[in-house]
PDB file of all heavy atoms in Angstrom:
ATOM      1  N   ASN A 152     119.799  75.804  67.298  1.00 98.00           N
ATOM      2  CA  ASN A 152     121.039  76.564  67.486  1.00 98.00           C
ATOM      3  C   ASN A 152     120.755  78.050  67.785  1.00 98.00           C
ATOM      4  O   ASN A 152     120.219  78.744  66.943  1.00 98.00           O
ATOM      5  CB  ASN A 152     121.947  76.424  66.245  1.00 98.00           C
ATOM      6  CG  ASN A 152     123.353  76.919  66.488  1.00 98.00           C
ATOM      7  OD1 ASN A 152     123.632  77.613  67.479  1.00 98.00           O
ATOM      8  ND2 ASN A 152     124.258  76.534  65.592  1.00 98.00           N
ATOM      9  N   LEU A 154     122.866  80.440  68.124  1.00 97.00           N
ATOM     10  CA  LEU A 154     123.949  81.326  67.660  1.00 97.00           C
ATOM     11  C   LEU A 154     123.602  81.891  66.256  1.00 97.00           C
ATOM     12  O   LEU A 154     123.102  81.171  65.403  1.00 97.00           O
ATOM     13  CB  LEU A 154     125.287  80.599  67.629  1.00 97.00           C
ATOM     14  CG  LEU A 154     125.720  80.059  68.986  1.00 97.00           C
ATOM     15  CD1 LEU A 154     126.956  79.150  68.855  1.00 97.00           C
ATOM     16  CD2 LEU A 154     125.975  81.219  69.960  1.00 97.00           C
ATOM     17  N   PHE A 155     123.905  83.141  66.056  1.00 96.00           N
ATOM     18  CA  PHE A 155     123.592  83.857  64.813  1.00 96.00           C
ATOM     19  C   PHE A 155     124.488  83.383  63.666  1.00 96.00           C
ATOM     20  O   PHE A 155     125.719  83.262  63.852  1.00 96.00           O
ATOM     21  CB  PHE A 155     123.730  85.364  65.036  1.00 96.00           C
ATOM     22  CG  PHE A 155     123.439  86.151  63.796  1.00 96.00           C
ATOM     23  CD1 PHE A 155     122.148  86.244  63.312  1.00 96.00           C
ATOM     24  CD2 PHE A 155     124.448  86.849  63.140  1.00 96.00           C
ATOM     25  CE1 PHE A 155     121.866  87.011  62.165  1.00 96.00           C
ATOM     26  CE2 PHE A 155     124.203  87.640  62.011  1.00 96.00           C
ATOM     27  CZ  PHE A 155     122.897  87.681  61.516  1.00 96.00           C
ATOM     28  N   ARG A 156     123.905  83.146  62.509  1.00 96.00           N
ATOM     29  CA  ARG A 156     124.616  82.790  61.283  1.00 96.00           C
ATOM     30  C   ARG A 156     124.267  83.802  60.227  1.00 96.00           C
ATOM     31  O   ARG A 156     123.190  83.801  59.681  1.00 96.00           O
ATOM     32  CB  ARG A 156     124.237  81.386  60.814  1.00 96.00           C
ATOM     33  CG  ARG A 156     124.595  80.279  61.788  1.00 96.00           C
ATOM     34  CD  ARG A 156     124.255  78.889  61.260  1.00 96.00           C
ATOM     35  NE  ARG A 156     122.789  78.727  61.053  1.00 96.00           N
ATOM     36  CZ  ARG A 156     122.255  78.490  59.871  1.00 96.00           C
ATOM     37  NH1 ARG A 156     122.982  78.378  58.791  1.00 96.00           N
ATOM     38  NH2 ARG A 156     120.914  78.344  59.819  1.00 96.00           N
ATOM     39  N   PRO A 157     125.162  84.770  59.866  1.00 95.00           N
ATOM     40  CA  PRO A 157     124.827  85.808  58.927  1.00 95.00           C
ATOM     41  C   PRO A 157     124.464  85.222  57.561  1.00 95.00           C
ATOM     42  O   PRO A 157     125.131  84.368  57.009  1.00 95.00           O
ATOM     43  CB  PRO A 157     126.098  86.621  58.835  1.00 95.00           C
ATOM     44  CG  PRO A 157     127.198  85.711  59.309  1.00 95.00           C
ATOM     45  CD  PRO A 157     126.568  84.847  60.363  1.00 95.00           C
ATOM     46  N   GLY A 158     123.307  85.661  57.053  1.00 93.00           N
ATOM     47  CA  GLY A 158     122.833  85.148  55.757  1.00 93.00           C
ATOM     48  C   GLY A 158     122.456  83.678  55.781  1.00 93.00           C
ATOM     49  O   GLY A 158     122.265  83.091  54.726  1.00 93.00           O
ATOM     50  N   GLY A 159     122.414  83.082  56.943  1.00 94.00           N
ATOM     51  CA  GLY A 159     122.126  81.645  57.049  1.00 94.00           C
ATOM     52  C   GLY A 159     123.266  80.813  56.604  1.00 94.00           C
ATOM     53  O   GLY A 159     123.111  79.599  56.324  1.00 94.00           O
ATOM     54  N   ASN A 160     124.509  81.384  56.527  1.00 95.00           N
ATOM     55  CA  ASN A 160     125.645  80.614  56.025  1.00 95.00           C
ATOM     56  C   ASN A 160     126.003  79.490  56.970  1.00 95.00           C
ATOM     57  O   ASN A 160     125.616  79.523  58.139  1.00 95.00           O
ATOM     58  CB  ASN A 160     126.829  81.532  55.730  1.00 95.00           C
ATOM     59  CG  ASN A 160     127.663  81.804  56.985  1.00 95.00           C
ATOM     60  OD1 ASN A 160     128.530  81.008  57.375  1.00 95.00           O
ATOM     61  ND2 ASN A 160     127.374  82.912  57.653  1.00 95.00           N
ATOM     62  N   GLN A 161     126.781  78.490  56.490  1.00 96.00           N
ATOM     63  CA  GLN A 161     127.061  77.309  57.289  1.00 96.00           C
ATOM     64  C   GLN A 161     128.554  77.092  57.397  1.00 96.00           C
ATOM     65  O   GLN A 161     129.049  75.941  57.436  1.00 96.00           O
ATOM     66  CB  GLN A 161     126.364  76.072  56.669  1.00 96.00           C
ATOM     67  CG  GLN A 161     124.849  76.264  56.593  1.00 96.00           C
ATOM     68  CD  GLN A 161     124.138  75.085  55.929  1.00 96.00           C
ATOM     69  OE1 GLN A 161     123.938  74.053  56.563  1.00 96.00           O
ATOM     70  NE2 GLN A 161     123.773  75.252  54.656  1.00 96.00           N
ATOM     71  N   VAL A 162     129.329  78.164  57.469  1.00 97.00           N
ATOM     72  CA  VAL A 162     130.764  78.092  57.628  1.00 97.00           C
ATOM     73  C   VAL A 162     131.125  77.337  58.899  1.00 97.00           C
ATOM     74  O   VAL A 162     132.040  76.505  58.927  1.00 97.00           O
ATOM     75  CB  VAL A 162     131.417  79.520  57.667  1.00 97.00           C
ATOM     76  CG1 VAL A 162     132.853  79.458  58.085  1.00 97.00           C
ATOM     77  CG2 VAL A 162     131.308  80.133  56.251  1.00 97.00           C
ATOM     78  N   VAL A 163     130.419  77.610  59.991  1.00 98.00           N
ATOM     79  CA  VAL A 163     130.728  76.990  61.277  1.00 98.00           C
ATOM     80  C   VAL A 163     129.669  75.945  61.652  1.00 98.00           C
ATOM     81  O   VAL A 163     130.000  74.885  62.116  1.00 98.00           O
ATOM     82  CB  VAL A 163     130.813  78.078  62.386  1.00 98.00           C
ATOM     83  CG1 VAL A 163     131.222  77.432  63.714  1.00 98.00           C
ATOM     84  CG2 VAL A 163     131.866  79.124  62.024  1.00 98.00           C
ATOM     85  N   TRP A 164     128.406  76.301  61.456  1.00 98.00           N
ATOM     86  CA  TRP A 164     127.303  75.419  61.920  1.00 98.00           C
ATOM     87  C   TRP A 164     126.366  75.078  60.771  1.00 98.00           C
ATOM     88  O   TRP A 164     125.866  75.956  60.103  1.00 98.00           O
ATOM     89  CB  TRP A 164     126.470  76.121  63.000  1.00 98.00           C
ATOM     90  CG  TRP A 164     127.259  76.902  64.001  1.00 98.00           C
ATOM     91  CD1 TRP A 164     127.290  78.286  64.207  1.00 98.00           C
ATOM     92  CD2 TRP A 164     128.170  76.394  65.005  1.00 98.00           C
ATOM     93  NE1 TRP A 164     128.106  78.593  65.195  1.00 98.00           N
ATOM     94  CE2 TRP A 164     128.678  77.458  65.729  1.00 98.00           C
ATOM     95  CE3 TRP A 164     128.577  75.067  65.376  1.00 98.00           C
ATOM     96  CZ2 TRP A 164     129.572  77.302  66.787  1.00 98.00           C
ATOM     97  CZ3 TRP A 164     129.475  74.947  66.383  1.00 98.00           C
ATOM     98  CH2 TRP A 164     129.953  76.014  67.118  1.00 98.00           C
ATOM     99  N   ASP A 165     126.144  73.806  60.580  1.00 98.00           N
ATOM    100  CA  ASP A 165     125.144  73.351  59.598  1.00 98.00           C
ATOM    101  C   ASP A 165     123.765  73.774  60.117  1.00 98.00           C
ATOM    102  O   ASP A 165     123.503  73.830  61.321  1.00 98.00           O
ATOM    103  CB  ASP A 165     125.197  71.835  59.498  1.00 98.00           C
ATOM    104  CG  ASP A 165     124.299  71.251  58.423  1.00 98.00           C
ATOM    105  OD1 ASP A 165     123.090  71.122  58.656  1.00 98.00           O
ATOM    106  OD2 ASP A 165     124.778  70.985  57.321  1.00 98.00           O
ATOM    107  N   SER A 166     122.877  74.031  59.184  1.00 96.00           N
ATOM    108  CA  SER A 166     121.544  74.513  59.552  1.00 96.00           C
ATOM    109  C   SER A 166     120.746  73.454  60.307  1.00 96.00           C
ATOM    110  O   SER A 166     119.751  73.786  61.033  1.00 96.00           O
ATOM    111  CB  SER A 166     120.743  74.958  58.322  1.00 96.00           C
ATOM    112  OG  SER A 166     120.615  73.878  57.418  1.00 96.00           O
ATOM    113  N   ASP A 167     121.104  72.179  60.211  1.00 96.00           N
ATOM    114  CA  ASP A 167     120.450  71.109  60.897  1.00 96.00           C
ATOM    115  C   ASP A 167     121.045  70.819  62.305  1.00 96.00           C
ATOM    116  O   ASP A 167     120.504  69.935  63.004  1.00 96.00           O
ATOM    117  CB  ASP A 167     120.425  69.846  60.089  1.00 96.00           C
ATOM    118  CG  ASP A 167     119.406  69.845  58.982  1.00 96.00           C
ATOM    119  OD1 ASP A 167     118.370  70.507  59.169  1.00 96.00           O
ATOM    120  OD2 ASP A 167     119.624  69.189  57.948  1.00 96.00           O
ATOM    121  N   GLN A 206     128.504  85.191  71.790  1.00 98.00           N
ATOM    122  CA  GLN A 206     128.351  86.101  70.667  1.00 98.00           C
ATOM    123  C   GLN A 206     127.796  87.420  71.172  1.00 98.00           C
ATOM    124  O   GLN A 206     126.874  87.450  72.037  1.00 98.00           O
ATOM    125  CB  GLN A 206     127.414  85.545  69.627  1.00 98.00           C
ATOM    126  CG  GLN A 206     128.028  84.601  68.588  1.00 98.00           C
ATOM    127  CD  GLN A 206     127.007  84.291  67.480  1.00 98.00           C
ATOM    128  OE1 GLN A 206     125.790  84.334  67.686  1.00 98.00           O
ATOM    129  NE2 GLN A 206     127.501  83.887  66.321  1.00 98.00           N
ATOM    130  N   TYR A 263     131.342  88.870  61.953  1.00 98.00           N
ATOM    131  CA  TYR A 263     130.331  88.679  60.958  1.00 98.00           C
ATOM    132  C   TYR A 263     129.609  89.997  60.707  1.00 98.00           C
ATOM    133  O   TYR A 263     129.547  90.909  61.533  1.00 98.00           O
ATOM    134  CB  TYR A 263     129.343  87.614  61.374  1.00 98.00           C
ATOM    135  CG  TYR A 263     128.706  87.821  62.761  1.00 98.00           C
ATOM    136  CD1 TYR A 263     127.613  88.584  62.952  1.00 98.00           C
ATOM    137  CD2 TYR A 263     129.313  87.183  63.851  1.00 98.00           C
ATOM    138  CE1 TYR A 263     127.047  88.750  64.193  1.00 98.00           C
ATOM    139  CE2 TYR A 263     128.756  87.353  65.115  1.00 98.00           C
ATOM    140  CZ  TYR A 263     127.614  88.143  65.274  1.00 98.00           C
ATOM    141  OH  TYR A 263     127.082  88.303  66.544  1.00 98.00           O
ATOM    142  N   HIS A 280     131.300  86.263  56.768  1.00 98.00           N
ATOM    143  CA  HIS A 280     131.569  85.571  58.047  1.00 98.00           C
ATOM    144  C   HIS A 280     133.019  85.124  58.038  1.00 98.00           C
ATOM    145  O   HIS A 280     133.430  84.357  57.130  1.00 98.00           O
ATOM    146  CB  HIS A 280     130.616  84.392  58.210  1.00 98.00           C
ATOM    147  CG  HIS A 280     130.571  83.827  59.548  1.00 98.00           C
ATOM    148  ND1 HIS A 280     129.828  82.680  59.936  1.00 98.00           N
ATOM    149  CD2 HIS A 280     131.195  84.182  60.759  1.00 98.00           C
ATOM    150  CE1 HIS A 280     129.963  82.431  61.160  1.00 98.00           C
ATOM    151  NE2 HIS A 280     130.798  83.286  61.714  1.00 98.00           N
TER     152      HIS A 280
END
Side-chain angles (χ1 to χ4, degrees):
N152 192 344
L154 300 172
F155 179 68
R156 298 182 296 118
N160 84 84
Q161 301 178 79
V162 168
V163 182
W164 318 113
D165 187 279
S166 59
D167 281 332
Q206 273 188 337
Y263 53 86
H280 193 183

